[in-house]
Amino acid sequence: MLTKTPLNLDFEYANSTPLLLKDYSHLHLWLVGCGGTGSYVAESLARLAYVFKQVGKNVNITFVDPDIVEGKNLGRQRFCQSELGLNKATTLALRYNLTWGLEISAIPDYFDPKLVKSYWNDLVIIIGCVDNSAARRSLGKTLENNRHAEIPRIWYLDAGNNFDSGQILLGSHNSLEELTPHLDKFKKTGIMGALPSPVLQCPNLIELRPEELGNTHLSCAELANLNAQSLTINQTIASIVTDYLFRLSLTKDLRKFATFLNLKSGSMRSEFISCSSLIKFSCT
């Protein structure tokens, strides 16, 4: 005889609130990292840009990656044999400019935080699809522009994964001191317009990985296994990233700031914009 298991109801989403951003006249999207996940996000950004243009939104997109397409990239990343030897960012920009009639820019080099500028009527979203601590530290530096701003204009959306699991993290401030005034306002008004940065949420993102340590004792084969990824994890992560961007910049009904998933178990959970989820980031 089967017995029913008690249902544990989660009211966190019902108690959450949409992230409130001030309206913008110009949207800047930076895709940093055009490999495993980034090559799939690139196509989604092109589609979003086309939709944004249809509703009268001004959009600028820039792809950034210093790497070239190699044979080992084929199959898992969104490239083909005819693109071997070409820069990843330049190749993707050309492909989607021709497909959608866009003007996506490409920087075939490492990301420099100084390139990112913010203006009063602009919204800047940096999508990080990188796999090393140095790149994430560089991306996090862009949020220093929000330090003294009443309303953050630059947002950092980080996408990372292992073999068949990963996380998507969104934020605007790198320190508890910067975030506290926004949290205090949230407690009083129920309005939230800022979030802890991906690095503040998961500090281990900027910890050195074994392959980044010069004195690692691991063999080449062991390092390759550490970086192994399934054929489906990148597309899944990219799809969730796209939904974050869609809800953040267009429908404006984004109620979450972190999502964790595991394809092997088929599980996914999110942290929602609510007092109970954000209280751990409060200094007071």
Side-chain angles (χ1 to χ4, degrees):
M1 179 178 179
L2 296 177
T3 58
K4 292 185 178 180
T5 302
L7 180 63
N8 295 320
L9 298 178
D10 185 357
F11 295 101
E12 198 63 38
Y13 178 79
N15 294 328
S16 66
T17 182
L19 185 65
L20 183 64
L21 301 182
K22 190 170 182 179
D23 197 19
Y24 62 92
S25 60
H26 211 119
L27 176 65
H28 299 265
L29 298 173
W30 290 78
L31 174 61
V32 183
C34 298
T37 297
S39 60
Y40 289 95
V41 172
E43 180 175 10
S44 296
L45 291 186
R47 291 179 182 276
L48 284 175
Y50 183 81
V51 172
F52 289 146
K53 288 178 65 175
Q54 303 309 303
V55 297
K57 290 289 186 182
N58 295 313
V59 185
N60 281 96
I61 300 178
T62 304
F63 295 163
V64 185
D65 199 308
D67 296 337
I68 63 172
V69 181
E70 301 178 73
K72 64 182 181 181
N73 302 141
L74 304 185
R76 185 172 63 82
Q77 300 184 17
R78 192 94 167 81
F79 299 104
C80 61
Q81 287 186 332
S82 63
E83 295 166 331
L84 289 173
L86 302 178
N87 173 262
K88 292 181 178 180
T90 303
T91 296
L92 292 172
L94 176 61
R95 181 195 302 171
Y96 297 122
N97 283 340
L98 292 174
T99 302
W100 295 99
L102 302 173
E103 297 181 357
I104 299 172
S105 301
I107 299 177
D109 204 344
Y110 292 98
F111 175 74
D112 186 346
K114 295 179 182 178
L115 294 171
V116 179
K117 308 293 182 182
S118 64
Y119 302 96
W120 178 246
N121 290 322
D122 291 1
L123 175 63
V124 180
I125 306 175
I126 301 165
I127 305 100
C129 298
V130 297
D131 60 0
N132 64 85
S133 60
R136 283 191 166 101
R137 283 194 292 268
S138 181
L139 291 167
K141 287 181 180 179
T142 61
L143 299 184
E144 293 177 3
N145 292 282
N146 293 330
R147 184 174 299 173
H148 303 297
E150 181 179 352
I151 300 173
R153 288 291 175 181
I154 299 179
W155 291 82
Y156 170 22
L157 181 61
D158 183 90
N161 64 276
N162 297 310
F163 180 77
D164 54 11
S165 62
Q167 72 285 327
I168 298 91
L169 309 170
L170 173 70
S172 60
H173 288 78
N174 284 326
S175 74
L176 295 177
E177 290 75 16
E178 298 169 22
L179 191 63
T180 296
H182 297 278
L183 291 170
D184 291 340
K185 180 180 179 181
F186 182 41
K187 294 173 186 175
K188 296 177 182 177
T189 66
I191 298 174
M192 192 60 177
L195 291 170
S197 73
V199 172
L200 193 56
Q201 294 179 46
C202 296
N204 63 341
L205 289 177
I206 56 174
E207 292 178 358
L208 291 175
R209 300 171 64 174
E211 61 268 33
E212 297 177 77
L213 297 172
N215 60 347
T216 178
H217 63 280
L218 297 177
S219 67
C220 293
E222 289 172 323
L223 288 174
N225 287 333
L226 283 176
N227 290 321
Q229 298 178 24
S230 75
L231 289 177
T232 54
I233 184 64
N234 297 123
Q235 298 98 307
T236 306
I237 294 286
S239 178
I240 299 171
V241 166
T242 305
D243 188 68
Y244 264 79
L245 294 171
F246 177 70
R247 296 183 185 281
L248 177 65
S249 58
L250 192 61
T251 61
K252 299 182 181 179
D253 62 350
L254 183 69
R255 291 173 175 262
K256 54 185 180 287
F257 62 92
T259 299
F260 304 88
L261 68 146
N262 187 300
L263 293 183
K264 186 174 183 179
S265 65
S267 63
M268 183 167 66
R269 68 176 181 85
S270 293
E271 294 281 353
F272 298 105
I273 302 172
S274 65
C275 284
S276 58
S277 291
L278 292 169
I279 192 66
K280 55 178 171 272
F281 297 105
S282 177
C283 289
T284 56

